Amino acid sequence: MSAKVWLVGAGPGDPELLTLKAVKALNQADIVMIDDLVNPAVLEHCPSARIMPVGKRGGCRSTPQAFIHRLMLRYARQGKCVVRLKGGDPCIFGRGSEEADWLSEHGIAVEMVNGITAGLAGATTCGIPLTLRGVARGVTLVTAHTQDDSSLNWQALAQSGTTLVVYMGVAKLPEIRESLLAGGMRADMPVAMIENASLPHQRECRSSLGAMQQAAQNFQLKSPAILVIGEVAAQPNMQLAAISA
Ligand code: SAH
């Protein structure tokens, strides 16, 4: 059997949001290397696999990326079925493509399996449509956290007319707020902050761009959370719901 690694998205947390393909890969796995944000409940699909936690939450004890690369390579070359399991989707702020490129360069075949990314799951579980006819013609996924401190073009984002979904933003709320206000976004633009999306302890805090920092503080918003910024964050529209009920 030729060496192969599966790069699999575990989804946002709710084990029922795993894809059938992810379940199939887990079923076949000998080794499963998991990130911090993966809900361990999904491991019921690989009862006999060896589980290796290799998470690296920002600022905490971390497993160097080079070490993860070498581990995947070693086990794949031993002919083991290796599943690299990542929270959400492997290629949305998940370094999936970096790992795939590295493995390919070392002669290992890679199969990627999508997962439901946290931004989509968070919005949907709160009833927020990220696109909405006549309201939001698009959606932009951004991270507030960069390795090199390079800055996003917040002005372009503020004026894009698309819904913004911000990952890794909890520690950067003041900067996000300031940058979007400076870029011309209205202070009363609706914002939803969704913590632990799709999990039983999910919490959501609705606010506005101008008030979001204070609201998050009162709410004691914690990571992992996503921010949805845009007109759609006022959805579901309770008035409409009441009329149609
Ligand atoms: N690949 C992942 C994202 C990893 S980056 C995905 O596609 O979802 C980590 C960030 O994702 C967190 O800081 C947070 O912003 C977001 N995140 C991951 N899981 C989450 C969850 N269950 N609820 C809310 N945000 C989550």
Side-chain angles (χ1 to χ4, degrees):
M1 197 180 75
S2 61
K4 179 165 161 182
V5 171
W6 294 76
L7 284 176
V8 178
D14 178 352
E16 294 193 354
L17 290 177
L18 270 181
T19 64
L20 293 176
K21 202 162 187 175
V23 170
K24 195 169 141 195
L26 285 171
N27 258 311
Q28 295 169 1
D30 299 308
I31 311 275
V32 180
M33 295 168 63
I34 61 166
D35 279 347
D36 295 309
L37 285 175
V38 172
N39 184 352
V42 305
L43 300 175
E44 71 166 285
H45 298 291
C46 51
S48 54
R50 177 169 170 204
I51 311 298
M52 306 182 72
V54 291
K56 45 178 176 314
R57 292 297 291 277
C60 301
R61 190 173 57 84
S62 72
T63 309
Q65 191 65 32
F67 180 70
I68 297 174
H69 284 169
R70 285 201 302 274
L71 271 185
M72 290 191 289
L73 187 62
R74 188 202 306 162
Y75 289 119
R77 284 187 172 156
Q78 287 173 5
K80 303 257 195 281
C81 178
V82 181
V83 169
R84 174 79 174 98
L85 192 59
K86 290 169 168 283
D89 185 273
C91 285
I92 300 293
F93 310 122
R95 291 185 156 205
S97 65
E98 284 172 48
E99 295 185 5
D101 287 349
W102 193 87
L103 289 163
S104 303
E105 280 162 22
H106 289 77
I108 307 292
V110 175
E111 181 143 349
M112 196 89 83
V113 180
N114 281 123
I116 295 181
T117 190
L120 302 191
T124 300
T125 51
C126 293
I128 298 171
L130 290 176
T131 65
L132 185 60
R133 200 151 45 97
V135 178
R137 299 178 63 176
V139 52
T140 309
L141 310 185
V142 295
T143 174
H145 180 87
T146 54
Q147 238 170 11
D148 57 3
D149 265 344
S150 61
S151 156
L152 282 165
N153 185 343
W154 288 104
Q155 187 174 3
L157 291 172
Q159 295 173 9
S160 67
T162 68
T163 304
L164 304 182
V165 178
V166 185
Y167 289 66
M168 291 175 264
V170 174
K172 302 264 182 179
L173 287 178
E175 291 96 320
I176 296 166
R177 177 181 172 278
E178 287 311 309
S179 308
L180 287 174
L181 287 173
M185 192 178 270
R186 293 176 0 238
D188 65 351
M189 182 64 82
V191 173
M193 296 174 268
I194 306 153
E195 183 185 290
N196 288 308
S198 85
L199 289 160
H201 48 294
Q202 169 171 325
R203 298 195 306 153
E204 68 177 281
C205 172
R206 303 290 184 121
S207 182
S208 64
L209 178 63
M212 73 178 189
Q213 196 180 330
Q214 190 60 51
Q217 216 165 32
N218 298 343
F219 190 75
Q220 300 193 319
L221 182 76
K222 292 194 188 59
S223 184
I226 51 133
L227 319 178
V228 178
I229 305 172
E231 302 289 356
V232 294
Q235 299 281 330
N237 186 326
M238 295 308 175
Q239 272 170 337
L240 279 181
I243 291 164
S244 60

